């Protein structure tokens, strides 16, 4: 059996390892255009801040690929010919497959601003190793930088630039930071924290034009309000989309919607071709198509797609959504449905006085359905279980301490949270 995997991110690398566990004899080729070795994209910011070397971003020893007899191929796949059952690389090399996995990840969204032509010097994204190189080249302590886009990647880029002593302006279209994930109080806590680190955070500001230097580099931006902001580095982090553009030019493209459309067993519309990770759009029976685009989702999908390729019966059922990250140093854990909760859902939200610590639990029909926690560390597996078990708010509050990580510096004192919860509960009982 010849397995070929296009894309050596977490979905592709996990698939390669899973296939090897299933079949000691198969030939496995893992093709990557971006890097020689699989690396952790989520840790890109730590390399930028010089806390990790690029080598530290690689989760595996380099010799693991030889030991597992997985052939690493550096190059971009530019064609898929399902009739010949072969992919062709930009170098011209053709690689035949019996089973092919597409795990080509996501690409940054590109704005359609006036004056933006190609990729002018100074314009950067923060998604790939090549983006990191560009960012590092343009980083100048004291220099002016603008980051557009108030989400996870935007705040990471802002933190890196501020870390290197740049004068950073953070332009956010929405009325508070990251409204798809946060309520106004939470978003404001994050923006205030970022401002305290010397970053200018400007809300409700929509960029409409890129201003250029005489030689075509970036000089700044103009916003809809008419304001102009100067910069030598313009970081654009306005979301990502499945990397599918290249498939429009291949001999036999798979069916594309928002991403490469796959069945719950990760098979595409092409025979013997599967897709997984950030590039995949999963068609789930009775539910909206799913594009996950988170690290553990891509890892899980890579493993399941590999098992499907090896002949297992797979029917993907997405688990409770969970994620954790740091937002300019503030711990962030989320689980379940928070801002996308059903109408009629109720929120218990409290912030510990004098601290950048908050707890939000969303309840619907008597059961906790979502958690958003900022400023302290939590073990999300508890939240997943409580959501799956449809635990009520009283149960959650009685057991909340158990979900805290027992970290070296001690757990956050939750007594103010419990006191607020009692008041919230009494008010709920009074008002129905
Ligand atoms: C800065 C940043 C921070 C993030 N932080 C978090 C976080 O805190 N938590 C979280 O859950 N998620 C986070 N994510 C998202 C997470 O990194 C992705 O969901 C995950 O990496 C997706 O894995 P993947 O294998 O599907 O795709 P990718 O990691 O994108 O890997 C796909 C690989 O395929 C290559 N490729 C594409 N086209 C071709 C081709 N034609 N031929 C050959 N190779 C090709 C790409 O260059 C890439 O190397 C972050 C992302 C970024 C950019």
């Amino acid at each position: 059996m010849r397995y070929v995997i296009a894309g050596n991110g977490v979905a592709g690398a996990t698939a390669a390892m899973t296939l090897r566990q299933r079949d000691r004899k198969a030939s496995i080729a893992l093709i990557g255009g971006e890097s020689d070795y699989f690396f952790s994209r989520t840790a890109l910011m730590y390399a930028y801040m010089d806390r990790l070397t690029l080598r530290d971003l690689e989760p595996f020893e380099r010799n693991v690929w030889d030991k597992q007899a997985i052939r690493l191929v550096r190059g971009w796949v530019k064609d898929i010919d399902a009739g010949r059952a072969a992919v062709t690389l930009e170098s011209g090399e053709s690689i035949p497959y019996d089973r092919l996995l597409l795990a080509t990840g996501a690409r940054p969204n590109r704005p359609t601003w006036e004056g933006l032509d190609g990729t002018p010097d100074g314009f950067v994204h923060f998604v790939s190793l090549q983006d990191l190189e560009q960012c590092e080249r343009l980083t100048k302590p004291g220099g002016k930088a603008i980051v557009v886009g108030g989400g996870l990647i935007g705040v990471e880029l802002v933190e890196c630039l501020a870390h290197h002593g740049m004068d950073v302006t953070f332009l956010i279209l929405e009325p508070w930071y990251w409204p798809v994930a946060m309520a106004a109080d939470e978003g404001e806590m994050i923006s205030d924290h970022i401002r305290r680190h010397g970053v200018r955070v400007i809300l409700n500001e929509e960029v409409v034009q890129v201003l250029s230097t005489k030689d075509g580099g970036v000089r700044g931006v103009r916003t809809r309000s008419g304001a102009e902001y100067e910069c030598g580095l313009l970081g654009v982090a306005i979301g990502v989309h499945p990397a599918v553009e290249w498939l429009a030019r291949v001999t036999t493209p798979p069916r594309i919607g928002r991403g490469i459309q796959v069945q719950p067993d990760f098979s595409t519309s092409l025979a013997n071709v599967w897709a997984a990770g950030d590039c995949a759009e999963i068609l789930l029976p009775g539910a909206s198509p799913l594009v996950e685009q988170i690290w553990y989702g891509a890892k899980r999908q890579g493993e399941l797609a590999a098992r499907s390729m090896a002949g297992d019966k797979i029917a993907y059922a997405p688990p409770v959504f969970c994620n954790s990250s740091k937002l300019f140093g503030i711990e962030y854990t989320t689980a379940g449905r928070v801002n996308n909760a059903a109408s009629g859902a109720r929120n218990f939200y409290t912030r510990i006085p004098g601290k950048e610590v908050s707890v939000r639990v969303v309840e619907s029909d008597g059961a906790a359905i979502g958690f958003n926690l900022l400023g302290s560390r939590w073990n999300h597996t508890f939240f997943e279980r409580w959501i799956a078990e449809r635990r009520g708010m009283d149960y959650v509050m009685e057991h909340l301490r158990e979900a805290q990580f027992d970290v070296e510096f001690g757990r956050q004192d939750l007594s103010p949270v419990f006191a607020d919860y009692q008041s919230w509960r009494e008010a709920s009982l009074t008002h129905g």
Side-chain angles (χ1 to χ4, degrees):
M1 181 66 75
R2 293 164 305 173
Y3 291 108
V4 172
I5 300 167
N8 64 345
V10 63
T14 305
M17 290 293 185
T18 306
L19 287 167
R20 176 53 74 226
Q21 299 315 309
R22 287 297 302 262
D23 185 341
R24 300 310 308 181
K25 293 199 180 121
S27 114
I28 303 173
L30 179 59
I31 309 169
E34 179 180 359
S35 59
D36 289 339
Y37 294 93
F38 161 50
F39 71 94
S40 171
R41 198 173 299 288
T42 52
L44 212 53
M45 67 177 291
Y46 299 106
Y48 194 1
M49 294 201 292
D50 303 322
R51 293 193 187 152
L52 295 175
T53 64
L54 286 180
R55 179 69 188 79
D56 292 331
L57 301 192
E58 292 169 20
F60 296 126
E61 290 293 344
R62 289 187 169 180
N63 64 8
V64 81
W65 307 103
D66 272 349
K67 282 187 173 172
Q68 295 293 329
I70 294 168
R71 181 184 165 220
L72 294 184
V73 183
R74 178 76 193 264
W76 296 99
V77 176
K78 73 158 197 203
D79 191 38
I80 304 170
D81 186 340
R84 282 197 308 120
V87 295
T88 306
L89 308 191
E90 263 181 12
S91 63
E93 184 185 356
S94 173
I95 304 182
Y97 63 79
D98 295 310
R99 295 190 178 166
L100 169 67
L101 177 68
L102 302 174
T104 50
R107 301 272 308 134
N109 291 341
R110 191 183 154 82
T112 50
W113 300 327
E114 191 186 334
L116 181 62
D117 192 13
T119 307
D121 193 40
F123 178 97
V124 291
H125 293 295
F126 189 55
V127 170
S128 66
L129 283 177
Q130 289 72 29
D131 295 337
L132 174 63
E133 268 171 36
Q134 287 305 312
C135 288
E136 288 182 327
R137 184 178 64 77
L138 294 160
T139 299
K140 295 185 178 67
K144 283 188 173 12
I146 293 174
V147 174
V148 182
L152 182 66
I153 297 178
V155 81
E156 290 193 356
L157 183 54
V158 165
E159 185 176 353
C160 294
L161 296 166
H163 171 83
H164 286 293
M166 291 198 76
D167 172 1
V168 188
T169 302
F170 192 13
L171 297 179
I172 298 176
L173 173 66
E174 294 85 8
W176 65 86
Y177 171 72
W178 210 9
V180 293
M182 312 251 156
D185 289 347
E186 295 161 319
E188 278 158 21
M189 183 167 99
I190 301 294
S191 333
D192 290 345
H193 173 82
I194 300 172
R195 284 191 183 107
R196 270 197 292 284
H197 284 77
V199 173
R200 219 169 292 106
V201 181
I202 302 179
L203 303 166
N204 293 305
E205 196 70 305
E206 184 186 2
V207 175
V208 290
Q209 188 181 357
V210 173
L211 308 172
S212 306
T213 58
K214 276 197 214 93
D215 51 6
V218 170
R219 171 171 73 77
V221 296
R222 181 174 293 129
T223 63
R224 193 167 295 289
S225 69
E228 287 189 6
Y229 300 90
E230 272 182 38
C231 68
L233 183 157
L234 173 60
V236 175
I238 56 169
V240 297
H241 62 274
V244 291
E245 289 89 346
W246 68 284
L247 290 166
R249 298 182 294 274
V250 302
T251 306
T252 47
R255 190 174 308 123
I256 306 286
R258 260 176 78 203
I260 304 169
Q261 291 192 332
V262 296
Q263 298 303 316
D265 65 357
F266 298 97
S267 60
T268 69
S269 59
L270 298 175
N272 299 318
V273 181
W274 284 255
D278 279 15
C279 66
E281 177 184 7
I282 310 169
L283 306 175
L284 296 166
S288 308
L290 178 70
V291 178
E292 277 191 325
Q293 298 190 322
I294 52 170
W295 178 266
Y296 284 106
K299 186 169 191 289
R300 190 166 50 233
Q301 289 187 29
E303 181 188 334
L304 291 173
R307 287 179 43 201
S308 179
M309 293 165 81
D312 287 359
K313 282 231 164 323
I314 298 293
Y316 188 53
V320 170
F321 178 83
C322 286
N323 208 353
S324 55
S325 190
K326 273 194 180 188
L327 308 172
F328 215 110
I330 295 190
E331 299 279 354
Y332 164 61
T333 304
T334 191
R337 283 179 293 147
V338 180
N339 277 15
N340 58 349
S343 64
R346 299 187 313 155
N347 279 254
F348 164 67
Y349 171 80
T350 188
R351 176 166 172 186
I352 297 186
K355 295 199 172 175
E356 289 174 324
V357 178
S358 67
V359 170
R360 179 150 69 111
V361 186
V362 184
E363 180 209 52
S364 178
D365 288 336
I369 59 163
F371 295 80
N372 241 21
L373 302 111
L374 290 167
S376 56
R377 299 197 65 209
W378 299 86
N379 180 344
H380 61 77
T381 58
F382 284 83
F383 304 141
E384 275 176 79
R385 201 174 63 229
W386 295 340
I387 293 170
E389 291 171 351
R390 295 192 46 78
R391 296 292 185 179
M393 292 291 273
D394 285 352
Y395 179 94
V396 165
M397 286 298 150
E398 269 166 41
H399 292 81
L400 196 60
R401 277 205 182 91
E402 295 164 24
Q404 286 185 293
F405 266 124
D406 204 355
V407 287
E408 197 184 334
F409 300 111
R411 296 173 175 191
Q412 183 64 51
D413 173 17
L414 294 179
S415 36
V417 173
F418 300 137
D420 261 8
Y421 174 65
Q422 281 314 321
S423 315
W424 181 84
R425 192 173 183 277
E426 279 155 28
S428 310
L429 289 175
T430 314
H431 302 298

